[in-house]
Amino acid sequence: MMLMSIIFPVYAQGETYRVYDNRSDFKEEFATYREAYSFYEDNLEEYENLILANEEKILQMEYGVVRFNTDEACSMVIDYYSIDKKSEDFHNGCYGVDAAYLYSDEESEKVYFMLSGDKGYTSIDNVTLIPFEDLKTRISSFSINDGKLMHNIMAQLDYDFYSYSFAIDNRPDYLADNKTYYSYDTHYFYEDFYQMIDDYRQEEYVSALNETPYYNYYQYLPHRSLSTYNSEELEDYFYNTLGVDGKLIRYNDLNGDQAADEVNRSQLYGEINNFFVYQNMYGCNALMLLSSAINESAYGRSLMSYRSNNLYSSAAYETEEEKEFDRYDTIDDSIYSHAKYFISSRFSNHQRSDYHGTFYGNKLSGINVNYSMDPYYGEKSAAAYFDLDLKLALKDYNHYALGIIKDEDRITFYKDPEMENRMFRLEDITELSFVILENNEDSYKISIDNSRNDEYLYDFANSVAYVAKDVFAYILNEDKIADYKLKEKTYDFAGGNFHDYGKLTIKVLPNDTSLIIPSLSGYEFVRYEDNTAQYRKISSLMLSGSFDTTELYSEPDLSKLRMKVFYEDQKNNSIEINTDMLSPYDNSIDEEENIDLSYCGMSVQSKLVFSKQLNDLRNTITQAIEGNDYETIKNNLGKISYPFSFAQIRNIDYALMTNRNRNYVIDDKTERYNVSVSGLDLSLPDKNVFSFVEDTYYVILDKIASRDEDKIFAVAKGYGFEKVEGLNISFRFNFENIKLMGPAIVQIDIKDKKNNLVYTVYHLDSDGNVIKCRTTQSENYIQFMISEAGSYLVLSLPSVNEFDIKDNTEDLSYENMGFDNHKINFELMIVLVLTLCGLIGVTLYYIVYRERKKVWKDYRRSLQTAGSVQEEKPKN
């Protein structure tokens, strides 16, 4: 009995254990776990998906998925043990909620699963087991869309929508269109979920569609490689194709996607060159550095990239001031730190315990293992690389030969072809990938990961080793084995410096166009002449404008600031302020703060005020929403931008509209006659005008100006969007044009709307920026949130989701709008004026007629008195 109490868990008295089969009516109940488990084990072969459950909680099953527990704030972290890595690890289900269920232990206390190539186990209390037949939604899977291999990931299993879907490669030959494929290691693909689970349990792949494992090139390309593109090509793409024309000058995220709404601005602006500089210095593929930044900072529009000059959500600071404020001085410092300290120093160092290779990888190998909790970080960054390559010229695709090493307890690297003089060893490595440079009789020459330099500089020509051929499990692109052809490039900074270098010689590709831009206090870099930096002396700086704070996040708003630079040659230049120029600031204090704005080592001061009252005001509005205190919401709306949800806008607006009975009319010049709006009573200003008939608020829809449409689409098409329809939206109170005080929802129908397209609306704002609006869609309509009048363009992208959601009903539509009382007012006024004019005319005529008649009588009388009679009436 003592032994059994150790093996089998003790459960509360009175609990019921069920063993049943989902595909039949079979069900047995047991009083103890021991009886239920013994029966379950004895009858597995008799049924297709036998399940053991304690009350409603499933403890054992044959086929299904593990659903990780999550919370609404996505703050729940699940700890698990990685069997292959022999170490503890962590997972957040909001990055990927499902994993392949392998089995539970005899006590039903541990659940074993496969996730992103990693086999592990966790407590059954951390997960929910869902039999495959009980799934109400799809699970994470792969598909082919427009010739591309898509990875479709679920972050929840409550709604049948993929949370993430991205193309990682061109279609492999063995996968077809219009099918769903399963894989939780991204190496072997299955049409049959059951066969996949059987193979995982047997640690074989006999039922997979591919005989040899699939390795995504971008995911397994080491950072120790050189992109074939140069900085000019990437700058042309970002600035001309994507339309990026400046850095962020404020941070607003009314769209709610954790990125600044201004699509034509990015913290990557002016930084593309630096990705190539650090590629050449620290041996980090420029497009891999850039793709990671795109993935982690939402194309340079994340709050962290604005607040902290941080593109990578990680920190390795060089100064105490940076550490104190958790903020890089410049965006360049973020790229530099990531390349030097994270890639070249940490994740390339085979002597560190967290070394797993310099490729993106997954949860089993690569930098993904220790760099990110997201099990799909490696794939997402690889997908960003693939997307960049596709939109450029696909020159990097399969450019290098890669050697994959698997399941080797000890890997020995040699420095010469004869494989003598052992250089170093790697132990307990599960999976590695290296660029192959040369094919010898018994060995491959490879680029090694280790820097071998105290400053972590990387020499592509000499950072090589030789590895016996039989160590490699797979060779990708064997026909591309070739050594680098490099040239030397020397920079003399002539009194200036670049990250403490006064002069630097590095090896680069022949087509390299990158330029190291040094700093010299009081001087502006101009160009190089004979490899020597040339500068222009600055005499003074002058600041115009003042700070404002965005009300939503209390971050500095730089939009009203400019800096004028005066040079010794009597010329000057006006430049836009960006976050690189700001000294560290503390936005938690409720007081005035002096802040330095620097340029080329010189600075001017300005005063910046952050107010905790903004947080108090947000809390006031939140409490008012919860308490249905609509007047408080209305009274405070103009003082702060509040991130209302669609449902909140609808509910608040409906309550206000019902209570106040303001008169609204939709004036639809587009002649769609299927428009509805919410948020008008919430967001339009109150107007008190004395009139005999009620006043009218107008929502006016008209055609978009072609110039505005072209400007918006020039930005949108770079991201793959197709143009659907443009329109101009404005608001009027009687004769007066008016502005919105807060957000409103516009719902329109789209001609030939397709449920397999995802729709997005872009807006050209009053400052000339292209803004991404928060957009949703239902079966027949799209809904988008607006905060001002102006030009809006509806765009579409293909989607793996089907948007057949039930239609919403907005508060104002053609069916329930009021009469055009202002028009009635105007027409009545015209009638009254005309009537009055008529009366005046009749009166005047009568007066003139009587006066004329009197004059005529007097005239005849005068003639009679004179002895003659005028026979004709006078002409005047």
Side-chain angles (χ1 to χ4, degrees), residues 578-600:
N578 61 59
T579 57
D580 280 0
M581 300 179 185
L582 304 186
S583 62
Y585 54 86
D586 186 355
N587 60 358
S588 65
I589 60 175
D590 189 12
E591 61 186 39
E592 188 175 81
E593 181 179 358
N594 288 324
I595 189 167
D596 292 327
L597 293 98
S598 301
Y599 183 71
C600 296

Side-chain angles (χ1 to χ4, degrees), residues 144 149 169-177 179 181 186-191 208-216:
I144 302 299
L149 175 60
D169 199 352
N170 288 321
R171 179 180 67 85
D173 293 338
Y174 44 83
L175 302 183
D177 295 339
K179 289 188 176 182
Y181 299 102
T186 320
H187 292 319
Y188 291 94
F189 298 94
Y190 297 82
E191 273 191 81
L209 296 173
N210 48 315
E211 293 183 4
T212 58
Y214 165 80
Y215 281 90
N216 179 269

Side-chain angles (χ1 to χ4, degrees), residues 305 446 736:
S305 73
I446 65 167
E736 178 188 1

Side-chain angles (χ1 to χ4, degrees), residues 589-768:
I589 60 175
D590 189 12
E591 61 186 39
E592 188 175 81
E593 181 179 358
N594 288 324
I595 189 167
D596 292 327
L597 293 98
S598 301
Y599 183 71
C600 296
M602 302 176 68
S603 63
V604 289
Q605 264 194 358
S606 183
K607 295 188 183 300
L608 178 61
V609 180
F610 291 109
S611 177
K612 290 182 181 178
Q613 293 177 358
L614 292 175
N615 290 324
D616 295 339
L617 195 52
R618 280 193 290 271
N619 293 332
T620 297
I621 295 177
T622 300
Q623 293 170 5
I625 292 172
E626 294 172 352
N628 298 325
D629 184 357
Y630 303 118
E631 286 305 314
T632 297
I633 299 170
K634 178 72 178 178
N635 292 336
N636 287 287
L637 188 62
K639 303 173 185 177
I640 186 172
S641 297
Y642 187 87
F644 290 100
S645 68
F646 278 82
Q648 287 172 337
I649 292 174
R650 292 185 182 111
N651 294 339
I652 297 169
D653 187 56
Y654 178 76
L656 290 171
M657 190 175 286
T658 303
N659 293 333
R660 300 196 304 168
N661 296 313
R662 293 201 292 187
N663 189 53
Y664 294 102
V665 167
I666 298 174
D667 183 4
D668 185 5
K669 301 181 187 301
T670 66
E671 298 183 351
R672 66 173 66 250
Y673 302 120
N674 208 343
V675 180
S676 55
V677 187
S678 291
L680 299 179
D681 247 294
L682 173 67
S683 300
L684 286 179
D686 293 326
K687 294 287 182 179
N688 296 313
V689 178
F690 176 77
S691 60
F692 294 104
V693 184
E694 189 179 3
D695 301 301
T696 302
Y697 288 85
Y698 294 88
V699 180
I700 305 166
L701 274 73
D702 206 342
K703 293 181 179 179
I704 189 172
S706 58
R707 182 179 59 183
D708 290 354
E709 181 176 341
D710 292 343
K711 185 169 183 179
I712 298 173
F713 190 59
V715 174
K717 67 182 180 181
Y719 295 94
F721 284 105
E722 294 291 334
K723 183 165 41 179
V724 178
E725 180 183 358
L727 64 157
N728 183 276
I729 304 172
S730 60
F731 303 91
R732 198 177 76 228
F733 176 77
N734 294 341
F735 284 115
E736 178 188 1
N737 291 327
I738 54 177
K739 295 180 179 180
L740 286 175
M741 297 169 55
I745 302 167
V746 177
Q747 176 172 279
I748 60 174
D749 61 329
I750 297 294
K751 185 179 180 182
D752 300 325
K753 182 179 178 297
K754 296 178 175 60
N755 288 341
N756 64 341
L757 294 178
V758 58
Y759 293 89
T760 301
V761 176
Y762 278 11
H763 164 54
L764 186 64
D765 75 359
S766 53
D767 294 325

Side-chain angles (χ1 to χ4, degrees), residues 136-139 154 156 158-162 801-802:
K136 306 299 183 186
T137 66
R138 294 173 287 188
I139 57 175
M154 299 292 286
Q156 48 75 38
D158 298 315
Y159 307 99
D160 196 22
F161 286 92
Y162 292 119
N801 290 317
E802 290 285 337

